[in-house]
Amino acid sequence: MRALIVQHVAYEGPGLLADALFRDGWELDLRCMDAPGAILPERLEGYNALVILGGPMGAYEEEAYPYLYRVQQLVREAAEKRVPTVGICLGGQLIARALGAEVKPNPVKEIGWYPVRLTAAGRQAALFAGLPPEFPVFQWHGDTFALPEGAVLLAEGETCANQAFIYNGCAWALQFHLEVTPEMVANWAAIYADELAAFAGPEAPAVLARETARIWEENRPQRELFLANLCRVLRGAV
């Protein structure tokens, strides 16, 4: 099994997802698009899954980041051929935009840990099998996606309504991050220090570190179950 992973910037990698996929026997072709000479394949031939990670740019910034056009082409090809696809944060927004839905600024940013609630459809979805109706997830985004025509909303939140959807039984878009480690959260807090301070004040890094440490331990079973579900979804075992 071979997966194409689109990584937008060096410091927003696949984290726990890569570990889970390696354990599941996947070969990962990771394309980090801010590396010199990075290109994407023109087609998905030879790949069994497509994963699109998060990043600091907007899904609608194709003029500044022309490769985003190619990402969206790959999403449409995957949807047509029913190649299992997962998009995280920016990746989820790119899935929505590729399939004709609007991506725009959310009324408020979400940075930190927030609860999301599964919809009735989400409670029946393979990606969330066994998870409680509400659970905390890590967020760092200012934009939100609308649902493409025919998509089904799977999870919702208080300050950002659309948190996850499925399209055509094979494309899973997530607004939140369940691939992060505490080290990744700390690294983002340092890289995006100005944004974090503007959002939550000068004590925000310390508060975020304490909250991450607490949630990391409390939610280990949920996190491991979600990653196992995600591997099943990408194998097409739904």
Side-chain angles (χ1 to χ4, degrees):
M1 298 179 293
R2 189 166 182 246
L4 174 64
I5 299 183
V6 181
Q7 179 174 334
H8 301 277
V9 291
Y11 43 85
E12 295 199 28
L16 296 173
L17 178 54
D19 297 337
L21 290 173
F22 276 129
R23 289 194 300 269
D24 201 44
W26 286 83
E27 175 190 344
L28 306 183
D29 182 359
L30 193 152
R31 307 291 180 100
C32 188
M33 301 310 296
D34 67 346
I39 60 172
L40 289 171
E42 294 188 5
R43 308 286 293 177
L44 285 174
E45 185 175 354
Y47 295 101
N48 306 101
L50 172 64
V51 176
I52 311 165
L53 302 177
M57 62 284 291
Y60 40 76
E61 293 188 278
E62 296 97 344
E63 294 303 313
Y65 305 94
Y67 78 89
L68 294 177
Y69 287 119
R70 175 64 56 81
V71 176
Q72 293 173 53
Q73 291 170 355
L74 292 173
V75 168
R76 289 188 288 270
E77 179 188 353
E80 180 181 348
K81 296 180 177 178
R82 298 185 61 82
V83 175
T85 300
V86 170
I88 297 170
C89 198
L90 172 61
Q93 296 163 8
L94 284 165
I95 290 175
R97 186 165 172 83
L99 299 173
E102 184 181 21
V103 176
K104 64 180 182 180
N106 195 53
V108 295
K109 286 186 176 182
E110 290 187 322
I111 301 178
W113 294 88
Y114 294 74
V116 296
R117 297 183 307 275
L118 298 178
T119 65
R123 292 192 291 273
Q124 300 298 316
L127 186 59
F128 300 112
L131 290 173
E134 181 173 301
F135 53 91
V137 296
F138 186 72
Q139 306 270 19
W140 199 310
H141 67 98
D143 288 345
T144 184
F145 50 64
L147 268 62
E149 185 176 354
V152 177
L153 184 66
L154 302 178
E156 54 193 358
E158 289 294 334
T159 52
C160 180
N162 294 338
Q163 291 287 340
F165 70 77
I166 184 172
Y167 177 85
N168 199 28
C170 64
W172 307 77
L174 309 176
Q175 183 55 73
F176 50 85
H177 297 269
L178 280 175
E179 83 287 6
V180 294
T181 64
E183 293 76 16
M184 290 172 68
V185 173
N187 190 36
W188 293 0
I191 291 170
Y192 303 124
D194 291 345
E195 181 183 9
L196 182 56
F199 177 76
E203 298 301 317
V207 173
L208 180 58
R210 289 195 298 269
E211 188 178 23
T212 299
R214 176 181 60 81
I215 292 175
W216 182 258
E217 292 305 322
E218 289 179 356
N219 291 275
R220 184 180 300 274
Q222 295 175 14
R223 183 170 62 249
E224 292 175 352
L225 178 56
F226 173 81
L227 290 168
N229 288 346
L230 197 152
C231 288
R232 288 185 61 246
V233 163
L234 290 179
R235 287 198 305 267
V238 296

